[in-house]
């Protein structure tokens, strides 16, 4: 067992947790299956990589966030104004983003981030330590969660959460749900893009295919968090998403450590999410099976 | 004050399923008037309320709230003036949010939504006061999620939410139909109290003819998208369920036992 190896996984988990928080906003708070994520993640990475090559590693972060927000707005507009289902709206934006992302990256399928300082290497130069990546990513995550938590507790945050919970009610209480959905999807994809921007600098490359299955990873984190850490209060839910994201990375790391070929990663991700999503149904089966067993047992008892 | 002027609404226009749900209907409600609406299945009662609240666009006619023409305003815009409680208790509240969060959204109805704290400082005291009026003990459960409440508790909460900012008109669509008789009675009493306290212009749909005559100040019967009976004052006082059934029940076979006895 290699400690450094697992420390890397935790760092990855922390950065991916920002993406998972975005997925949490769209899938849970808004109750919208938004597949823009696969595209907006790469968009963030692309913006970050391009600015890096121009010598602005820090500027790439906020710009990636804004670009992600715009991508989310496009999906929301397709859904709310053109009345196309959320699922399809997201897929359309994701598809369009593939071309956009290539353009952003100067028509190159990948950009290596070498020779110049990244956000991570700059911080490491200041505080020379084996933990600087970990601390930096953790600080960024804490800031993101803190701001997100406060936002979801504002009046605006309330109506966004209520939109996913009960759209009828929100409309009946005088709120334009087209607006709340747009705002929610913008925030969600902004976070996803920010995560992509950080990953690009952390891994020192940006690749056009790095977003494939990202939404599933995000969803896996959300669900693992919910199952293991509960969904009681908002604070608990956000913490659960983060822990879920880190745990997911650790599981993958262990699997790789045990000899799973890296090419099977997506297969495992899909499997984990399928299992997690199937939980409620499986519980039902078991319950009804037990009921049938006990009632037939009771019936026999009556006859005897 | 509510004015409905020559309103018509057709579903599935131009298809074989074309269905005239509201037929040239006019209705004028004074400030503080409490109208109960009865009528058989498919008479157009819910459609009428949905047209008033903007869920459906109308074919023709006008809807005025006080001096404001809301005929073409989108649902969320006119919601500022309208309180609504639906038959389904799940429809009126956000189950994954707490009681105080739900109330807070309702209390901020029509106000701009900014980055201020969702629950204002003064809200707690006000919410406590209002909740205690329900006498359901909800004032001590403000931090609990609404999903934990029973249907009747939720419906009472929805009623409170829809009137916490005084609406120009309160629309109730069989809001007690899904509840146990005793809880239904309680919610109905609450409705009466709140309507009286705020002198609210109210429309209540019910299948219970007895309740329709007992509550409110005016009773309307609908059939095929039209108003076929409009009872007020002495005429209404003298009306009984038996006579209603005698006059209308047999003629168009509208009522069954459930509607009479509730
Ligand atoms: N969304 C809709 N699309 C098409 N037709 C509809 C729609 N809503 C209502 N209708 C039709 O309009 C007519 C009036 O329906 P409405 O729901 O207003 O009746 P109601 O008086 O509320 O009846 P109930 O007592 O059963 O609730 C019915 O014929 C119904 O089939
Ligand atoms: Mg109805």
């Amino acid at each position: 067992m290699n400690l450094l190896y697992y420390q890397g996984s935790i760092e990855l988990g922390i950065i991916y947790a920002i993406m998972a928080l975005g997925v949490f906003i769209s899938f849970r708070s808004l109750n919208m299956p938004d597949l823009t994520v696969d595209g907006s993640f790469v968009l963030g990475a692309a913006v970050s990589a391009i600015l890096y090559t121009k010598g602005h590693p820090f500027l790439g972060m906020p710009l990636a966030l804004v670009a992600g927000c715009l991508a989310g707005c496009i999906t929301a507009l397709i859904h709310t104004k053109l009345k196309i289902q959320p699922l399809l709206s997201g897929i359309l934006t994701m598809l369009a983003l593939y071309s956009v992302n290539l353009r952003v990256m100067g028509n190159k399928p990948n950009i290596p981030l070498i020779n110049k300082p990244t956000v991570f290497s700059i911080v490491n130069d200041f505080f020379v330590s084996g933990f600087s990546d970990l601390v930096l990513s953790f600080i960024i995550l804490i800031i993101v969660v803190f701001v997100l938590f406060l936002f979801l507790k504002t009046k605006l945050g309330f109506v966004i959460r209520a939109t996913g919970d009960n759209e009828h009610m929100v409309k009946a209480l005088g709120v334009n749900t087209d607006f709340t959905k747009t705002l929610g999807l913008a925030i969600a994809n902004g976070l996803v893009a920010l995560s992509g921007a950080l990953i690009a600098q952390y891994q020192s490359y940006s690749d056009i295919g790095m977003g494939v299955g990202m939404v599933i990873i995000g969803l896996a984190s959300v669900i693992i968090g919910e199952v293991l850490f509960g969904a009681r209060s908002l604070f608990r839910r956000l913490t659960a998403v983060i822990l879920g994201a880190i745990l997911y990375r650790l599981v993958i790391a262990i699997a790789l450590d045990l000899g799973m070929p890296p090419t099977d990663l997506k297969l495992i991700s899909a499997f984990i999410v399928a299992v997690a999503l199937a939980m409620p149904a499986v519980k039902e089966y078991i319950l009804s099976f037990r009921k049938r067993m006990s009632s037939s047992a009771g019936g026999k008892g009556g006859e005897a | 004050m509510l004015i409905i002027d020559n309103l018509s609404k057709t579903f599935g226009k131009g298809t074989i399923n074309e269905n005239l749900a509201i037929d040239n209907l006019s209705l004028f409600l004074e400030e503080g008037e409490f109208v109960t609406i009865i009528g058989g299945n498919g008479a157009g009662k819910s459609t009428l309320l949905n047209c008033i609240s903007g869920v459906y666009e109308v074919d023709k006619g006008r809807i005025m709230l006080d001096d404001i023409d809301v005929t073409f305003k989108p649902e969320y815009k006119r919601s500022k003036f309208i309180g609504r409680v639906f038959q389904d208790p799940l429809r009126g509240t956000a189950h994954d949010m707490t009681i105080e969060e739900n109330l807070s959204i309702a209390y901020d109805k029509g106000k701009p939504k900014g980055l201020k704290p969702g629950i204002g400082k003064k809200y707690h005291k006000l919410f406590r006061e209002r909740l205690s009026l329900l006498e359901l003990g909800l004032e001590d459960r403000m931090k609990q999620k609404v999903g934990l409440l029973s249907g009747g508790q939720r419906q009472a909460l929805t009623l409170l939410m829809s009137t916490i900012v005084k609406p120009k008109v309160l629309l109730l669509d069989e809001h007690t139909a899904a509840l146990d008789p005793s809880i239904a009675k309680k919610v109905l009493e609450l409705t009466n109290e709140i309507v009286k306290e705020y002198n609210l212009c109210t429309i209540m749909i019910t299948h219970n003819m007895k309740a329709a005559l007992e509550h409110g100040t005016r009773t309307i019967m609908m059939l095929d998208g039209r108003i076929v009976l409009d009872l007020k004052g002495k005429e209404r006082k003298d009306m009984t369920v038996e006579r209603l059934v005698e006059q209308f029940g047999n003629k168009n076979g509208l009522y069954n036992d459930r509607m009479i006895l509730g």
Side-chain angles (χ1 to χ4, degrees), chain B residues 10 31 35-37 58 118 134-135 190 194-195 224 231 250:
Chain B
T10 315
E31 176 88 31
V35 180
T36 55
I37 301 189
V58 302
L134 301 181
E135 292 174 359
L190 270 170
I194 291 176
V195 169
D224 294 338
L231 292 172
N250 302 334

Side-chain angles (χ1 to χ4, degrees), chain A residues 151 153-159 161-162 165-166 168-177 231-233 237, chain B residues 75-76 79 84 90-97 101-102 105 108-109 113-119 123 145:
Chain A
F151 173 73
K153 288 277 188 186
T154 63
K155 294 191 191 301
L156 210 50
F158 272 18
V159 287
R161 284 160 62 202
D165 209 342
N166 187 348
H168 283 302
M169 160 191 142
V170 178
K171 273 192 195 160
L173 292 177
V175 176
N176 182 358
T177 50
R232 229 164 235 207
S233 63
R237 295 195 87 161
Chain B
E75 181 183 355
Y76 77 90
S79 290
R84 271 187 280 173
L90 299 181
R91 252 184 92 156
T93 44
H95 75 276
D96 202 27
M97 297 177 77
E101 286 172 339
N102 271 276
I105 297 175
D108 288 331
K109 180 157 138 179
K113 305 280 176 293
L115 294 177
K116 286 200 197 128
I119 302 173
Y123 287 18
K145 283 189 181 173

Side-chain angles (χ1 to χ4, degrees), chain A residues 147-198:
Chain A
V147 172
L148 187 63
F149 176 74
L150 286 185
F151 173 73
L152 290 175
K153 288 277 188 186
T154 63
K155 294 191 191 301
L156 210 50
F158 272 18
V159 287
I160 286 181
R161 284 160 62 202
T163 301
D165 209 342
N166 187 348
E167 194 175 342
H168 283 302
M169 160 191 142
V170 178
K171 273 192 195 160
L173 292 177
V175 176
N176 182 358
T177 50
D178 284 1
F179 169 70
T180 51
K181 286 179 188 171
T182 307
L183 188 63
L185 284 184
I187 294 170
N189 284 288
L191 291 177
V192 171
L194 175 62
S195 171
L198 283 165

Side-chain angles (χ1 to χ4, degrees), chain A residues 5-6 9 247-262 264-265 268 272:
Chain A
Y5 170 73
Y6 285 103
S9 305
L247 208 64
Y248 173 84
R249 278 292 137 193
L250 284 175
V251 169
I252 296 289
I254 292 169
L256 289 172
D257 210 14
L258 292 177
M260 181 190 76
D264 285 350
L265 258 181
I268 298 294
I272 292 177

Side-chain angles (χ1 to χ4, degrees), chain A residues 61-240:
Chain A
M61 305 295 135
L63 285 189
L65 186 92
V66 172
C69 288
L70 285 178
C73 285
I74 304 277
T75 301
L77 289 178
I78 294 176
H79 167 55
T80 57
K81 297 302 168 206
L82 306 181
K83 313 281 177 210
I84 297 176
Q85 295 162 8
L87 203 63
L88 209 48
S89 307
I91 293 177
L92 288 173
T93 314
M94 177 182 77
L95 185 66
L97 277 176
Y98 189 85
S99 300
V100 173
N101 292 339
L102 269 177
R103 245 173 218 263
V104 173
M105 300 210 293
N107 283 321
K108 279 178 279 186
N110 56 62
I111 302 177
L113 273 62
I114 40 177
N115 301 330
K116 285 185 189 156
T118 65
V119 169
F120 291 95
S121 71
I122 292 170
V123 172
N124 193 30
D125 285 346
F126 268 103
F127 312 96
V128 186
S129 134
F131 294 106
S132 82
D133 288 2
L134 188 67
V135 172
L136 175 63
S137 41
F138 188 67
I139 289 175
I140 295 174
L141 175 65
I142 292 295
I143 293 173
V144 167
V145 180
F146 185 66
V147 172
L148 187 63
F149 176 74
L150 286 185
F151 173 73
L152 290 175
K153 288 277 188 186
T154 63
K155 294 191 191 301
L156 210 50
F158 272 18
V159 287
I160 286 181
R161 284 160 62 202
T163 301
D165 209 342
N166 187 348
E167 194 175 342
H168 283 302
M169 160 191 142
V170 178
K171 273 192 195 160
L173 292 177
V175 176
N176 182 358
T177 50
D178 284 1
F179 169 70
T180 51
K181 286 179 188 171
T182 307
L183 188 63
L185 284 184
I187 294 170
N189 284 288
L191 291 177
V192 171
L194 175 62
S195 171
L198 283 165
I199 286 288
Q201 299 212 14
Y202 179 82
Q203 297 185 329
S204 296
Y205 69 85
S206 161
D207 185 283
I208 192 71
M210 70 197 287
V212 176
M214 205 43 72
V215 72
I216 292 299
I217 296 176
L219 202 52
S221 311
V222 171
I223 297 171
I224 292 173
E226 272 168 9
V227 171
L228 295 183
F229 307 105
R232 229 164 235 207
S233 63
L234 183 63
F235 180 75
R236 185 93 172 252
R237 295 195 87 161
L238 294 180
T239 327

